[in-house]
Amino acid sequence: MKHIIILGDGMADLPVERLGGKTLLQYAHKPMMDLLAREGRTGRLVTVPEGFPPGSEVANTAILGYDLNKVYEGRGPLEAASIGYEMADDDLAIRCNIITLEDGKIITHNGGNLETQDADVLIRYLNEKLAKPINEREGCERVKFITGIQYRHLLVIKGGSKHIVCAPPHDHPNEEWRGLLVKAEEGAPVEPGRLTAQQTADLINEMILKSQELLAAHPFNQERAKRGERQANSIWPWSGGYRPSMQTLQQQFPQIKKGSVISAVDLIRGIGHYAGLRIIEVEGATGLADTNYEGKAEAAIKALKDEDFVFVHVEASDEAGHDGDLELKLKTIEYLDQRLITPIYKEVETWDEPVCIAILPDHLTPVEMRIHVGQPVPFLFWYRGIEPDEVLQYDEVSCVSGSYGLLKLQEFMQELMKIE
């Protein structure tokens, strides 16, 4: 049995009054997901361990079967792996958004839907202006910025402390940014060879303030201002950590000999890297609603022909949820159903070798809240010959009655791997 997980990032939601009290999954036209639920088995999954933030770095790692208490180091190190930056033992790697501030508030976490080629210009500019040597004699940079994808980038601090409190910008839309600056953890340990937590927080906050001056003066933002467009006018570092230690999926699950990950998001590629999965690049994969769904489906089908396991991640619903765009989030769910899940199902249904399809989100990103919510998410398993349960459609409410009940964290991957 081959296995494929198709994950619609943040596509689960809460009841919406404008939709007659239905969730978006209940309201959307998604005949393939409903067919797979009707012919398969369903349940709900707790994806966020107690005490952890309800972010994609946490939820996707748990979905793939990892104990967060043993492997969690934040987003930064995962995105470093995806970018191809090999972390040193004394590095602190931090996710670094370029965001939009207006009237003292965080307006958007994505810099006005910043494109990678424009962001690269800004990151190189910030690196030139803000990179700091530890001292002139050593000639080693204390700080450097590394270009990622769109608004998602990397900040590396040599000898930085991970014991700091940062505010994910997507969780604080329309809030005043000054109250969200980085703080040292209470009782943070002093680690030999590293800055203290307070020194690290002070350094990051200094760079945030300087970045605002520098970015406001950059021609890219000055031209945007003339056109009345949102400016990419501040960095916002968050979710830092040290080099993680993770077993590969092959080491954990002997059923998996070879596997791949398909995603436009550095974070997911980084998880895949440490999980021992091959990273597949798909032309036109953007992380937004205009992503290349058909290309991802084609890549997944091709990979499944030679490999045992494929993880397909689609970011679009999460971004629409953060933007509070109800109509767009509905479209992303329908696109996922019709343009990615449907062609995969139609192909693998004809194969002699059986394939188990698993579908789920990683967390809720409610359009009316615009933040991540760590409530249980619905999931389904389908393969040819599975004995179905009584659930007739795929959504947050229907899957409460699913035969798998409520699974927690690593139990999802454990149950999936039992399907042989």
Side-chain angles (χ1 to χ4, degrees), residues 281-296:
E281 301 276 354
V282 175
E283 185 176 356
T286 65
L288 300 172
D290 64 353
T291 197
N292 184 359
Y293 296 89
E294 291 83 2
K296 286 188 172 185

Side-chain angles (χ1 to χ4, degrees), residues 37-167:
R38 192 162 57 249
E39 293 186 354
R41 297 178 64 193
T42 66
R44 294 188 304 153
L45 175 66
V46 175
T47 61
V48 180
E50 186 175 348
F52 284 82
S56 294
E57 75 281 14
V58 170
N60 283 274
T61 303
I63 286 167
L64 285 173
Y66 291 95
D67 183 343
L68 273 296
N69 290 295
K70 295 179 179 179
V71 305
Y72 182 70
E73 284 288 346
R75 287 190 179 218
L78 299 173
E79 301 195 8
S82 173
I83 292 170
Y85 176 77
E86 190 66 33
M87 290 183 65
D89 290 340
D90 61 345
D91 280 345
L92 170 68
I94 313 176
R95 162 73 170 270
C96 186
N97 284 38
I98 299 181
I99 68 172
T100 299
L101 303 179
E102 291 179 10
D103 300 324
K105 296 181 179 180
I106 295 176
I107 300 303
T108 176
H109 66 289
N110 59 24
N113 289 323
L114 198 60
E115 296 291 343
T116 301
Q117 60 267 31
D118 296 323
D120 183 55
V121 173
L122 299 180
I123 288 294
R124 291 174 183 272
Y125 173 65
L126 291 172
N127 221 27
E128 178 185 333
K129 299 294 184 180
L130 293 180
K132 295 175 177 288
I134 293 177
N135 60 53
E136 294 300 329
R137 180 176 57 81
E138 293 183 8
C140 177
E141 289 182 341
R142 169 74 77 186
V143 168
K144 57 185 167 185
F145 296 87
I146 301 172
T147 303
I149 296 176
Q150 296 169 328
Y151 62 89
R152 313 173 189 92
H153 307 285
L154 189 69
L155 169 63
V156 177
I157 302 177
K158 184 70 64 177
S161 169
K162 69 177 181 180
H163 299 286
I164 53 178
V165 180
C166 304

Side-chain angles (χ1 to χ4, degrees), residues 158-278:
K158 184 70 64 177
S161 169
K162 69 177 181 180
H163 299 286
I164 53 178
V165 180
C166 304
H170 54 263
D171 283 345
H172 299 276
N174 298 316
E175 293 185 30
E176 294 191 0
W177 62 268
R178 285 190 177 275
L180 301 172
L181 288 170
V182 181
K183 301 175 179 63
E185 286 181 2
E186 290 188 16
V190 177
E191 300 168 287
R194 291 187 178 272
L195 301 174
T196 66
Q198 189 61 58
Q199 288 171 328
T200 304
D202 291 343
L203 175 61
I204 294 172
N205 289 334
E206 177 189 356
M207 287 191 292
I208 290 173
L209 296 175
K210 287 187 176 179
S211 78
Q212 293 171 16
E213 297 176 11
L214 292 166
L215 291 172
H218 194 278
F220 173 78
N221 279 314
Q222 291 182 340
E223 288 300 316
R224 275 196 166 191
K226 290 177 184 177
R227 298 192 298 267
E229 298 175 355
R230 286 177 172 172
Q231 297 179 53
N233 57 10
S234 181
I235 62 167
W236 199 266
W238 60 285
S239 195
Y242 307 152
R243 181 186 175 93
S245 177
M246 291 170 59
Q247 285 189 319
T248 66
L249 289 180
Q250 293 89 335
Q251 290 171 319
Q252 294 190 81
F253 302 104
Q255 304 93 321
I256 300 176
K257 304 296 190 297
K258 293 195 300 181
S260 296
V261 60
I262 300 170
S263 177
V265 178
D266 281 339
L267 161 68
I268 305 301
R269 295 178 181 181
I271 295 173
H273 170 81
Y274 283 111
L277 301 177
R278 180 172 64 97

Side-chain angles (χ1 to χ4, degrees), residues 84 92 143 259 303 321 356 388-389 391:
L92 170 68
V143 168
C356 178
D389 57 25
V391 173

Side-chain angles (χ1 to χ4, degrees), residues 365-377:
T365 309
V367 290
E368 295 190 330
M369 297 176 67
R370 297 179 58 189
I371 62 173
H372 292 168
V373 173
Q375 294 184 13
V377 301

